[in-house]
Tab-separated table of all heavy atoms in Angstrom:
chain	number	residue	atom	x	y	z
A	20	TYR	N	0.820	-1.187	-0.009
A	20	TYR	CA	0.007	-0.001	0.024
A	20	TYR	C	0.869	1.235	-0.013
A	20	TYR	O	1.965	1.265	0.566
A	20	TYR	CB	-0.904	0.055	1.252
A	20	TYR	CG	-1.812	-1.171	1.397
A	20	TYR	CD1	-1.377	-2.224	2.208
A	20	TYR	CD2	-3.005	-1.236	0.827
A	20	TYR	CE1	-2.209	-3.336	2.364
A	20	TYR	CE2	-3.825	-2.309	0.956
A	20	TYR	CZ	-3.409	-3.371	1.752
A	20	TYR	OH	-4.253	-4.475	1.902
A	21	VAL	N	0.333	2.269	-0.592
A	21	VAL	CA	0.933	3.593	-0.459
A	21	VAL	C	0.809	4.030	0.996
A	21	VAL	O	-0.168	3.696	1.664
A	21	VAL	CB	0.297	4.582	-1.435
A	21	VAL	CG1	-1.128	4.942	-1.031
A	21	VAL	CG2	1.128	5.882	-1.517
A	22	ASN	N	1.766	4.793	1.480
A	22	ASN	CA	1.747	5.140	2.906
A	22	ASN	C	0.525	5.851	3.365
A	22	ASN	O	0.050	5.629	4.506
A	22	ASN	CB	2.995	5.987	3.243
A	22	ASN	CG	4.277	5.260	3.259
A	22	ASN	OD1	4.286	3.993	3.471
A	22	ASN	ND2	5.382	5.909	3.112
A	23	SER	N	-0.067	6.660	2.510
A	23	SER	CA	-1.233	7.450	2.923
A	23	SER	C	-2.453	6.636	3.195
A	23	SER	O	-3.426	7.150	3.817
A	23	SER	CB	-1.510	8.485	1.813
A	23	SER	OG	-1.789	7.856	0.568
A	24	VAL	N	-2.518	5.398	2.767
A	24	VAL	CA	-3.702	4.558	3.036
A	24	VAL	C	-3.379	3.368	3.930
A	24	VAL	O	-4.345	2.597	4.248
A	24	VAL	CB	-4.398	4.050	1.728
A	24	VAL	CG1	-4.696	5.248	0.811
A	24	VAL	CG2	-3.499	3.003	1.047
A	25	LYS	N	-2.172	3.177	4.339
A	25	LYS	CA	-1.792	2.091	5.196
A	25	LYS	C	-2.598	2.130	6.498
A	25	LYS	O	-2.715	3.158	7.110
A	25	LYS	CB	-0.327	2.058	5.476
A	25	LYS	CG	0.538	1.598	4.311
A	25	LYS	CD	2.010	1.564	4.710
A	25	LYS	CE	2.864	1.049	3.534
A	25	LYS	NZ	4.314	1.101	3.832
A	26	GLY	N	-3.169	1.011	6.869
A	26	GLY	CA	-3.992	0.903	8.064
A	26	GLY	C	-5.425	1.254	7.831
A	26	GLY	O	-6.254	1.005	8.702
A	27	ARG	N	-5.753	1.771	6.642
A	27	ARG	CA	-7.142	2.137	6.328
A	27	ARG	C	-7.687	1.350	5.141
A	27	ARG	O	-8.916	1.264	4.994
A	27	ARG	CB	-7.251	3.600	6.038
A	27	ARG	CG	-6.805	4.495	7.175
A	27	ARG	CD	-7.120	5.950	6.926
A	27	ARG	NE	-6.419	6.472	5.782
A	27	ARG	CZ	-7.022	6.928	4.673
A	27	ARG	NH1	-8.338	6.956	4.598
A	27	ARG	NH2	-6.315	7.395	3.622
A	28	ALA	N	-6.839	0.847	4.284
A	28	ALA	CA	-7.233	0.147	3.048
A	28	ALA	C	-6.808	-1.285	3.084
A	28	ALA	O	-5.774	-1.650	3.599
A	28	ALA	CB	-6.667	0.864	1.840
A	29	THR	N	-7.644	-2.121	2.430
A	29	THR	CA	-7.309	-3.534	2.284
A	29	THR	C	-7.618	-3.944	0.868
A	29	THR	O	-8.749	-3.855	0.395
A	29	THR	CB	-8.137	-4.421	3.240
A	29	THR	OG1	-7.888	-4.034	4.606
A	29	THR	CG2	-7.728	-5.882	3.055
A	30	ILE	N	-6.589	-4.387	0.125
A	30	ILE	CA	-6.822	-4.914	-1.201
A	30	ILE	C	-6.945	-6.443	-1.117
A	30	ILE	O	-6.218	-7.097	-0.313
A	30	ILE	CB	-5.643	-4.511	-2.155
A	30	ILE	CG1	-5.969	-4.974	-3.607
A	30	ILE	CG2	-4.314	-5.068	-1.693
A	30	ILE	CD1	-4.964	-4.383	-4.632
A	31	SER	N	-7.838	-6.997	-1.873
A	31	SER	CA	-8.032	-8.454	-1.858
A	31	SER	C	-8.475	-8.903	-3.249
A	31	SER	O	-8.710	-8.090	-4.164
A	31	SER	CB	-9.097	-8.837	-0.824
A	31	SER	OG	-10.313	-8.256	-1.104
A	32	ARG	N	-8.583	-10.207	-3.410
A	32	ARG	CA	-9.001	-10.719	-4.721
A	32	ARG	C	-9.771	-12.008	-4.501
A	32	ARG	O	-9.516	-12.783	-3.551
A	32	ARG	CB	-7.783	-10.976	-5.639
A	32	ARG	CG	-6.796	-12.012	-5.151
A	32	ARG	CD	-5.527	-11.997	-5.978
A	32	ARG	NE	-5.780	-12.225	-7.389
A	32	ARG	CZ	-4.989	-11.800	-8.388
A	32	ARG	NH1	-3.888	-11.105	-8.116
A	32	ARG	NH2	-5.313	-12.117	-9.641
A	33	ASP	N	-10.685	-12.233	-5.374
A	33	ASP	CA	-11.476	-13.482	-5.392
A	33	ASP	C	-11.299	-14.090	-6.803
A	33	ASP	O	-11.947	-13.664	-7.759
A	33	ASP	CB	-12.963	-13.236	-5.100
A	33	ASP	CG	-13.750	-14.474	-4.971
A	33	ASP	OD1	-13.358	-15.540	-5.502
A	33	ASP	OD2	-14.827	-14.462	-4.316
A	34	ASN	N	-10.373	-15.010	-6.918
A	34	ASN	CA	-10.073	-15.583	-8.235
A	34	ASN	C	-11.248	-16.312	-8.862
A	34	ASN	O	-11.366	-16.369	-10.089
A	34	ASN	CB	-8.862	-16.487	-8.145
A	34	ASN	CG	-7.559	-15.747	-7.883
A	34	ASN	OD1	-7.481	-14.523	-8.151
A	34	ASN	ND2	-6.561	-16.434	-7.338
A	35	ALA	N	-12.109	-16.878	-8.021
A	35	ALA	CA	-13.270	-17.562	-8.527
A	35	ALA	C	-14.261	-16.622	-9.230
A	35	ALA	O	-15.012	-17.024	-10.109
A	35	ALA	CB	-13.991	-18.383	-7.449
A	36	LYS	N	-14.236	-15.362	-8.813
A	36	LYS	CA	-15.098	-14.347	-9.403
A	36	LYS	C	-14.387	-13.428	-10.364
A	36	LYS	O	-15.015	-12.494	-10.873
A	36	LYS	CB	-15.737	-13.547	-8.294
A	36	LYS	CG	-16.704	-14.315	-7.396
A	36	LYS	CD	-17.338	-13.406	-6.354
A	36	LYS	CE	-18.297	-14.116	-5.507
A	36	LYS	NZ	-18.943	-13.265	-4.495
A	37	ASN	N	-13.086	-13.644	-10.583
A	37	ASN	CA	-12.269	-12.720	-11.437
A	37	ASN	C	-12.426	-11.300	-10.988
A	37	ASN	O	-12.577	-10.358	-11.800
A	37	ASN	CB	-12.646	-12.905	-12.891
A	37	ASN	CG	-12.119	-14.186	-13.495
A	37	ASN	OD1	-11.504	-14.991	-12.846
A	37	ASN	ND2	-12.460	-14.417	-14.765
A	38	THR	N	-12.385	-11.047	-9.706
A	38	THR	CA	-12.641	-9.730	-9.133
A	38	THR	C	-11.626	-9.363	-8.110
A	38	THR	O	-11.289	-10.200	-7.232
A	38	THR	CB	-14.038	-9.662	-8.563
A	38	THR	OG1	-15.020	-9.966	-9.582
A	38	THR	CG2	-14.360	-8.261	-8.023
A	39	ALA	N	-11.143	-8.127	-8.159
A	39	ALA	CA	-10.310	-7.550	-7.119
A	39	ALA	C	-11.105	-6.508	-6.367
A	39	ALA	O	-12.036	-5.883	-6.927
A	39	ALA	CB	-9.067	-6.927	-7.705
A	40	TYR	N	-10.738	-6.276	-5.113
A	40	TYR	CA	-11.465	-5.337	-4.276
A	40	TYR	C	-10.524	-4.405	-3.562
A	40	TYR	O	-9.313	-4.704	-3.366
A	40	TYR	CB	-12.274	-6.070	-3.194
A	40	TYR	CG	-13.207	-7.127	-3.704
A	40	TYR	CD1	-12.794	-8.464	-3.849
A	40	TYR	CD2	-14.504	-6.796	-4.095
A	40	TYR	CE1	-13.698	-9.419	-4.320
A	40	TYR	CE2	-15.384	-7.716	-4.585
A	40	TYR	CZ	-15.006	-9.023	-4.671
A	40	TYR	OH	-15.861	-9.979	-5.150
A	41	LEU	N	-11.051	-3.241	-3.200
A	41	LEU	CA	-10.319	-2.310	-2.358
A	41	LEU	C	-11.310	-1.826	-1.276
A	41	LEU	O	-12.213	-1.066	-1.577
A	41	LEU	CB	-9.750	-1.138	-3.098
A	41	LEU	CG	-8.917	-0.174	-2.274
A	41	LEU	CD1	-7.629	-0.838	-1.819
A	41	LEU	CD2	-8.584	1.120	-3.081
A	42	GLN	N	-11.128	-2.319	-0.072
A	42	GLN	CA	-11.919	-1.883	1.053
A	42	GLN	C	-11.175	-0.693	1.681
A	42	GLN	O	-10.057	-0.739	2.062
A	42	GLN	CB	-12.029	-3.007	2.099
A	42	GLN	CG	-12.720	-2.565	3.378
A	42	GLN	CD	-14.222	-2.403	3.227
A	42	GLN	OE1	-14.866	-3.183	2.486
A	42	GLN	NE2	-14.766	-1.361	3.819
A	43	MET	N	-11.922	0.416	1.801
A	43	MET	CA	-11.401	1.639	2.380
A	43	MET	C	-12.217	2.069	3.597
A	43	MET	O	-13.417	2.269	3.438
A	43	MET	CB	-11.266	2.740	1.367
A	43	MET	CG	-10.398	2.394	0.171
A	43	MET	SD	-9.885	3.806	-0.784
A	43	MET	CE	-11.482	4.502	-1.203
A	44	ASN	N	-11.559	2.217	4.685
A	44	ASN	CA	-12.152	2.660	5.926
A	44	ASN	C	-11.598	4.020	6.356
A	44	ASN	O	-10.586	4.448	5.878
A	44	ASN	CB	-11.980	1.629	7.044
A	44	ASN	CG	-12.494	0.258	6.656
A	44	ASN	OD1	-13.532	0.145	6.049
A	44	ASN	ND2	-11.717	-0.767	7.072
A	45	SER	N	-12.260	4.653	7.326
A	45	SER	CA	-11.808	5.896	7.876
A	45	SER	C	-11.456	6.866	6.784
A	45	SER	O	-10.416	7.522	6.785
A	45	SER	CB	-10.603	5.681	8.778
A	45	SER	OG	-10.937	4.809	9.824
A	46	LEU	N	-12.357	6.987	5.841
A	46	LEU	CA	-12.081	7.835	4.662
A	46	LEU	C	-11.890	9.294	5.004
A	46	LEU	O	-12.569	9.809	5.899
A	46	LEU	CB	-13.180	7.652	3.637
A	46	LEU	CG	-13.099	6.354	2.852
A	46	LEU	CD1	-14.459	6.007	2.205
A	46	LEU	CD2	-12.045	6.435	1.781
A	47	LYS	N	-11.020	9.951	4.275
A	47	LYS	CA	-10.685	11.323	4.468
A	47	LYS	C	-10.979	12.079	3.180
A	47	LYS	O	-11.009	11.526	2.098
A	47	LYS	CB	-9.190	11.486	4.784
A	47	LYS	CG	-8.686	10.667	5.964
A	47	LYS	CD	-7.210	10.785	6.128
A	47	LYS	CE	-6.711	9.967	7.308
A	47	LYS	NZ	-5.244	10.109	7.457
A	48	PRO	N	-11.181	13.408	3.323
A	48	PRO	CA	-11.391	14.212	2.059
A	48	PRO	C	-10.242	14.038	1.094
A	48	PRO	O	-10.514	14.113	-0.157
A	48	PRO	CB	-11.488	15.644	2.590
A	48	PRO	CG	-12.046	15.487	3.975
A	48	PRO	CD	-11.412	14.202	4.510
A	49	GLU	N	-9.024	13.831	1.549
A	49	GLU	CA	-7.921	13.631	0.644
A	49	GLU	C	-7.965	12.331	-0.135
A	49	GLU	O	-7.224	12.188	-1.123
A	49	GLU	CB	-6.616	13.617	1.481
A	49	GLU	CG	-6.419	14.812	2.387
A	49	GLU	CD	-6.933	14.524	3.779
A	49	GLU	OE1	-6.201	14.019	4.609
A	49	GLU	OE2	-8.135	14.850	4.041
A	50	ASP	N	-8.877	11.475	0.210
A	50	ASP	CA	-9.102	10.237	-0.555
A	50	ASP	C	-9.964	10.481	-1.776
A	50	ASP	O	-10.147	9.568	-2.604
A	50	ASP	CB	-9.720	9.152	0.288
A	50	ASP	CG	-8.815	8.685	1.428
A	50	ASP	OD1	-7.592	8.531	1.172
A	50	ASP	OD2	-9.313	8.525	2.541
A	51	THR	N	-10.576	11.633	-1.897
A	51	THR	CA	-11.433	11.925	-3.012
A	51	THR	C	-10.666	11.838	-4.328
A	51	THR	O	-9.625	12.499	-4.490
A	51	THR	CB	-12.046	13.361	-2.897
A	51	THR	OG1	-12.895	13.354	-1.727
A	51	THR	CG2	-12.837	13.707	-4.109
A	52	ALA	N	-11.129	11.003	-5.245
A	52	ALA	CA	-10.439	10.760	-6.501
A	52	ALA	C	-11.277	9.781	-7.349
A	52	ALA	O	-12.226	9.184	-6.850
A	52	ALA	CB	-9.045	10.182	-6.240
A	53	VAL	N	-10.862	9.643	-8.603
A	53	VAL	CA	-11.361	8.563	-9.381
A	53	VAL	C	-10.420	7.359	-9.202
A	53	VAL	O	-9.193	7.524	-9.369
A	53	VAL	CB	-11.439	8.913	-10.904
A	53	VAL	CG1	-11.956	7.738	-11.722
A	53	VAL	CG2	-12.385	10.114	-11.088
A	54	TYR	N	-10.983	6.210	-8.876
A	54	TYR	CA	-10.169	5.042	-8.590
A	54	TYR	C	-10.233	4.087	-9.794
A	54	TYR	O	-11.306	3.778	-10.308
A	54	TYR	CB	-10.670	4.365	-7.328
A	54	TYR	CG	-10.271	5.092	-6.064
A	54	TYR	CD1	-10.838	6.306	-5.715
A	54	TYR	CD2	-9.304	4.531	-5.222
A	54	TYR	CE1	-10.462	6.966	-4.583
A	54	TYR	CE2	-8.908	5.175	-4.054
A	54	TYR	CZ	-9.492	6.430	-3.748
A	54	TYR	OH	-9.107	7.078	-2.644
A	55	TYR	N	-9.078	3.610	-10.149
A	55	TYR	CA	-8.925	2.702	-11.279
A	55	TYR	C	-8.246	1.405	-10.841
A	55	TYR	O	-7.419	1.406	-9.935
A	55	TYR	CB	-8.044	3.315	-12.385
A	55	TYR	CG	-8.533	4.651	-12.891
A	55	TYR	CD1	-8.170	5.831	-12.289
A	55	TYR	CD2	-9.318	4.695	-14.053
A	55	TYR	CE1	-8.589	7.066	-12.753
A	55	TYR	CE2	-9.775	5.937	-14.533
A	55	TYR	CZ	-9.402	7.118	-13.902
A	55	TYR	OH	-9.821	8.293	-14.383
A	56	CYS	N	-8.533	0.319	-11.554
A	56	CYS	CA	-7.786	-0.918	-11.345
A	56	CYS	C	-7.207	-1.363	-12.693
A	56	CYS	O	-7.699	-1.011	-13.769
A	56	CYS	CB	-8.662	-2.023	-10.729
A	56	CYS	SG	-9.986	-2.636	-11.815
A	57	LYS	N	-6.124	-2.160	-12.606
A	57	LYS	CA	-5.530	-2.745	-13.790
A	57	LYS	C	-4.561	-3.821	-13.384
A	57	LYS	O	-4.207	-3.894	-12.202
A	57	LYS	CB	-4.824	-1.699	-14.673
A	57	LYS	CG	-3.593	-1.105	-14.023
A	57	LYS	CD	-2.900	-0.104	-14.927
A	57	LYS	CE	-2.292	-0.760	-16.115
A	57	LYS	NZ	-1.146	-1.637	-15.808
A	58	ARG	N	-4.114	-4.609	-14.338
A	58	ARG	CA	-3.031	-5.542	-14.055
A	58	ARG	C	-1.769	-4.799	-13.706
A	58	ARG	O	-1.437	-3.803	-14.351
A	58	ARG	CB	-2.781	-6.450	-15.244
A	58	ARG	CG	-3.886	-7.387	-15.566
A	58	ARG	CD	-3.494	-8.452	-16.564
A	58	ARG	NE	-3.223	-7.845	-17.880
A	58	ARG	CZ	-2.784	-8.545	-18.923
A	58	ARG	NH1	-2.561	-9.874	-18.833
A	58	ARG	NH2	-2.583	-7.947	-20.064
A	59	TYR	N	-1.095	-5.185	-12.625
A	59	TYR	CA	0.070	-4.468	-12.204
A	59	TYR	C	1.282	-4.853	-13.083
A	59	TYR	O	1.533	-6.054	-13.304
A	59	TYR	CB	0.354	-4.854	-10.742
A	59	TYR	CG	1.546	-4.049	-10.167
A	59	TYR	CD1	1.504	-2.691	-10.038
A	59	TYR	CD2	2.672	-4.745	-9.735
A	59	TYR	CE1	2.574	-1.987	-9.533
A	59	TYR	CE2	3.786	-4.046	-9.207
A	59	TYR	CZ	3.709	-2.673	-9.116
A	59	TYR	OH	4.765	-1.993	-8.612
């Protein structure tokens, strides 16, 4: 994780569903953005 979201975000994946997730808690105004996913 990038330092700014450590402790607040959890990335996970469900291979059976071909889906990745980003759980974000304790959200801050600085988290406001368009969020994208892609193969790393």
Side-chain angles (χ1 to χ4, degrees):
Y20 304 94
V21 69
N22 286 337
S23 59
V24 306
K25 285 181 178 177
R27 302 187 298 117
T29 303
I30 187 172
S31 61
R32 64 192 298 156
D33 186 338
N34 289 338
K36 295 182 177 180
N37 286 0
T38 301
Y40 304 94
L41 184 68
Q42 175 72 41
M43 299 198 303
N44 303 320
S45 302
L46 283 161
K47 305 174 180 180
E49 308 93 88
D50 295 317
T51 295
V53 179
Y54 284 71
Y55 303 88
C56 68
K57 68 179 292 292
R58 292 191 295 177
Y59 184 63

